[in-house]
Amino acid sequence: MQQAPPTPMSDACPVAAFFDVDNTLIRGASAFHLAAGLYRRGFFRKRDLWRYAFHQLRYRVLGENKDQIDELRSEALQIMRGHSVAEVTAIAEDIYDQVLCLRIYPGTQKLLDEHVAAGHGVWLITATPVEIASLLARRLGATGGLGTVAEHADGHYTGRLVGDMLHGEAKAAAVRTLAAERGIDLSRSYAYGDSLNDVPILSEVGRPCAINPERRLRRYAAEVGWPVREFRGRRRAARRGVNAASLAGAAWAASLVLRAVRRSLRGR
């Protein structure tokens, strides 16, 4: 089922388009590219890498659970503790120029550009750190970005979270809050996502669309009659059942662990 192109706003009640980031706008998991950049700048220790590799393996074998998410979140926040917001923002800018700009799906970017041209508010909404969401929004000409917020004081991260991760139902709540603040008509608005976890935000708007959907979302979209857009190549489209974000994280962690071990062996 194809989706009609965005229609220009014709009255004072604003229309918005909400884009998930990972595997919808960006191929893979943007947070892992940020993590790789932080590792290269000394944020992580070797033992952290071994622990993250274990968590990734456990995720792949046993699946996602709240206790695991909370544990990983706590570890990530502690690694950020004491580092300056300016430092992390500068690293994120470098990572966009080196990596993320090359991983944007041209089809999704074209769709985003069409919404901007139609005069719609365009918001990126993701569980990824808000620094990444805001950076992508600024670079792509979107209105703004909503993401998970790490607390900071006097320009440095405290190791605590503000609110909860922007994931699942939390995304839908953020959309409702934004709509109330800005007078957005959600019944006329758009939302795009790739995962079953994006159903809450897709269900908040009158014009939802699944982009590069994983198998469960593709099936759900077919059941409820949502349009589907596929911007991946044939090889990726044939692997719809694979969670690309978790695979990207596992590959990243494993490669860094192997490089660290090799350096240790060469240093003996």
Side-chain angles (χ1 to χ4, degrees):
M1 180 178 178
Q2 291 296 314
Q3 182 196 41
T7 55
M9 286 194 301
S10 58
D11 54 44
C13 192
V15 173
F18 302 95
F19 286 80
D20 172 54
V21 172
D22 292 346
N23 291 320
T24 301
L25 178 63
I26 297 285
R27 176 163 50 87
S30 54
F32 284 114
H33 299 298
L34 175 62
L38 295 176
Y39 170 77
R40 288 192 295 269
R41 291 160 175 83
F43 278 59
F44 300 158
R45 298 163 295 180
K46 290 179 183 177
R47 67 182 185 183
D48 294 321
L49 297 178
W50 285 107
R51 188 160 60 251
Y52 298 149
F54 169 73
H55 284 311
Q56 287 293 333
L57 178 61
R58 186 173 66 178
Y59 174 84
R60 293 299 299 156
V61 174
L62 301 178
E64 182 180 281
N65 65 74
K66 186 177 185 302
D67 290 340
Q68 181 182 347
I69 292 174
D70 288 343
E71 184 179 354
L72 287 170
R73 179 184 67 184
S74 177
E75 290 179 3
L77 288 169
Q78 288 308 308
I79 285 172
M80 301 296 290
R81 184 179 181 182
H83 289 281
S84 74
V85 176
E87 178 185 13
V88 173
T89 300
I91 292 171
E93 294 277 358
D94 288 344
I95 291 167
Y96 179 88
D97 291 331
Q98 296 167 10
V99 180
L100 294 182
C101 66
L102 303 176
R103 302 180 72 87
I104 295 172
Y105 286 111
T108 310
Q109 181 166 6
K110 181 175 182 293
L111 191 56
L112 186 152
D113 292 341
E114 289 174 353
H115 280 291
V116 172
H120 300 165
V122 177
W123 294 86
L124 309 186
I125 180 163
T126 174
T128 293
V130 69
E131 289 81 2
I132 291 289
S134 298
L135 168 63
L136 287 169
R138 186 172 70 254
R139 291 296 192 98
L140 296 175
T143 308
L146 304 177
T148 299
V149 179
E151 182 186 73
H152 51 85
D154 299 323
H156 291 77
Y157 292 104
T158 66
R160 295 185 295 270
L161 206 61
V162 177
D164 207 346
M165 288 184 67
L166 208 61
H167 182 266
E169 290 292 341
K171 281 187 177 182
V175 165
R176 290 193 296 269
T177 299
L178 187 68
E181 292 174 349
R182 294 181 173 248
I184 295 170
D185 183 354
L186 290 179
S187 69
R188 296 172 54 208
S189 293
Y190 303 74
Y192 303 94
D194 73 292
S195 166
L196 198 65
N197 293 320
D198 293 320
V199 166
I201 59 166
L202 293 170
S203 300
E204 285 292 328
V205 300
R207 296 164 178 173
C209 179
I211 289 183
N212 306 329
E214 45 117 4
R215 182 178 56 204
R216 295 174 301 168
L217 179 59
R218 184 176 293 273
R219 186 166 54 241
Y220 185 86
E223 291 173 357
V224 299
W226 289 348
V228 172
R229 303 289 294 273
E230 183 61 67
F231 296 134
R232 297 170 292 189
R234 291 182 180 178
R235 182 178 299 178
R236 287 187 176 273
R239 298 176 61 195
R240 294 176 186 125
V242 176
N243 186 321
S246 62
L247 281 177
W252 168 79
S255 66
L256 292 182
V257 169
L258 287 174
R259 285 200 291 271
V261 170
R262 287 170 183 162
R263 284 196 298 270
S264 297
L265 290 175
R266 284 197 299 268
R268 290 180 179 176

